Amino acid sequence: MSDRQRSDDVARYGAAVRAAMAHASTKERADLLDDLESHLSEVAAESGAPLVASLGSPEDYAAELHAAYEAGAQPEPQSRRVPPGPSVAMQRGARSRRWRAASLAVLLVAAIGLFAGWQVITRHAKDVPWSYAQLQASARAGQVRGVVITGTDVVATDRTGGQHEVVDAPRSGGLAVALAQANVDVTYQTGSAMAGWLAVVLPNLVLLGLIVGLGVLLYVAVRRRGGRLRRGLPPS
Amino acid sequence: MYLAMRQDRSADTTQLLKGVLDLAVLAVLAESNSYGYDVVRRLRECGLSAVGDASVYGTLRRLHRAGALASYAVASDEGPHRKYYRLNDNGRALLAGSAEAWSRVTRALDTLLNGRGARE
């Protein structure tokens, strides 16, 4: 085989191998075909026979090339990457645990608050409100066990334990004097008008807290379920 | 000569070679740096007559891509530059690990086969 024939053979064979590798990625083609002709020339020079005889068909050559390039066992010697699974899952687990703890805490606070609020309300659960005149009449009749004055709030307790808010009690010290004269036990409670207001607002706040806490729990549960589904896990 | 070698290729040998070609190529380069065609020649000289050019070449490129080999060009009188390959630290570590695994496997196989031979 002359040099001329040999170089023609190399060129033809090379072109045929490239054609057979047209389906491969650009990167793979660049990697594998860069010095193809150089290699083929050496084979041709060594054997003196047509390349097809030495190497098989160009298509087979291309297939073998691709197979060896893509062979399963990818060497990953020293730079072993820690598989992302466990540590990320642990982080996720920790985060969702914190969420659960937080929402449980909110619920607990809400529950306590609700209980406290309920107590506040019921303590002020009143029977029929009295007018100031009724208070005076009852006091003179000895029917009033005691009166609690909280700021501008006046609540009278009768002998049966019923509580009566006195709606038009005068806002003056005279009230206490008049009551004392009637032998009514008067108690001043520290607190301002705020206290009454708070008694209304507090239960509402507590209810709001409960709703928020439930919402947070639901959100976390949905997120967790979605995450597990995305990872192909059963929804637990 | 090569044609005869290629016809020589049995299915058994080809299958076995697929698993160890990486190790064989790394071992050849550990002896001395080499280029594609030379690696093929040296493998065949050692007795791996069934190894194909394309397989060796693809393996070299894969090992290079994986970072086990470094390559450099050497000017050649006859024609274009030749691409030479050499082992780097990763490659040496890979060779050591693979060689150890190989000897474990061959020891196990030897035990199994010798035991079988003795029974028969």
Side-chain angles (χ1 to χ4, degrees), chain B residues 28-110:
Chain B
V28 164
L29 291 174
E31 266 180 57
S32 65
N33 301 348
S34 194
Y35 58 97
Y37 184 73
D38 188 50
V39 174
V40 178
R41 189 183 53 77
R42 284 158 71 181
L43 286 172
R44 290 202 182 130
E45 272 173 14
C46 281
L48 294 177
S49 54
V51 79
D53 287 65
S55 296
V56 173
Y57 200 71
T59 300
L60 278 168
R61 294 311 300 169
R62 177 167 45 80
L63 288 171
H64 182 263
R65 183 184 85 194
L69 307 176
S71 70
Y72 56 97
V74 170
S76 159
D77 317 316
E78 299 91 39
H81 295 262
R82 274 205 191 113
K83 193 176 285 182
Y84 272 71
Y85 294 93
R86 64 171 181 79
L87 288 183
N88 58 18
D89 288 340
N90 282 346
R92 273 183 285 272
L94 181 61
L95 172 60
S98 305
E100 203 201 299
W102 167 255
S103 70
R104 272 202 308 271
V105 168
T106 47
R107 272 201 305 275
L109 260 297
D110 282 344

Side-chain angles (χ1 to χ4, degrees), chain A:
Chain A
M1 206 179 193
S2 72
D3 281 356
R4 183 60 198 278
Q5 285 174 316
R6 197 174 305 138
S7 63
D8 283 351
D9 186 33
V10 166
R12 267 199 313 271
Y13 196 91
V17 170
R18 286 173 190 280
M21 295 231 15
H23 66 279
S25 72
T26 318
K27 189 175 186 296
E28 182 174 329
R29 283 209 307 278
D31 228 358
L32 292 174
L33 302 176
D34 193 33
D35 40 0
L36 173 69
E37 277 73 15
S38 157
H39 184 84
L40 293 176
S41 302
E42 300 213 58
V43 174
E46 180 79 20
S47 73
L51 284 169
V52 178
S54 323
L55 301 173
S57 76
E59 291 75 27
D60 284 349
Y61 188 88
E64 203 180 310
L65 202 54
H66 173 76
Y69 189 69
E70 297 293 334
Q74 291 293 336
E76 271 183 0
Q78 284 167 345
S79 56
R80 273 268 208 94
R81 272 176 296 138
V82 175
S87 58
V88 168
M90 265 166 25
Q91 280 178 28
R92 283 212 203 101
R95 233 183 294 140
S96 95
R97 273 202 300 278
R98 279 204 292 275
W99 267 111
R100 286 225 296 279
S103 42
L104 268 174
V106 168
L107 266 180
L108 196 64
V109 167
I112 292 173
L114 187 67
F115 182 72
W118 186 248
Q119 292 287 68
V120 168
I121 297 171
T122 52
R123 209 146 29 89
H124 278 279
K126 299 171 186 54
D127 294 336
V128 180
W130 280 348
S131 69
Y132 186 55
Q134 280 175 301
L135 170 63
Q136 285 174 309
S138 301
R140 277 198 293 275
Q143 290 301 307
V144 179
R145 193 191 293 173
V147 168
V148 174
I149 302 177
T150 315
T152 53
D153 240 17
V154 180
V155 178
T157 311
D158 62 31
R159 292 259 165 235
T160 64
Q163 297 202 314
H164 306 268
E165 186 177 351
V166 182
V167 293
D168 54 354
R171 288 185 173 79
S172 69
L175 169 66
V177 173
L179 286 173
Q181 279 178 341
N183 288 322
V184 174
D185 190 37
V186 176
T187 315
Y188 278 95
Q189 265 192 349
T190 48
S192 51
M194 280 288 283
W197 176 84
L198 203 62
V200 173
V201 171
L202 188 65
N204 288 312
L205 273 178
V206 160
L207 191 62
L208 188 68
L210 250 177
I211 293 171
V212 167
L214 263 167
V216 166
L217 259 182
L218 263 169
Y219 174 72
V220 166
V222 166
R223 272 283 299 275
R224 205 165 145 261
R225 178 177 282 257
R228 286 178 73 87
L229 286 178
R230 270 198 297 276
R231 292 210 296 278
L233 292 167
S236 106

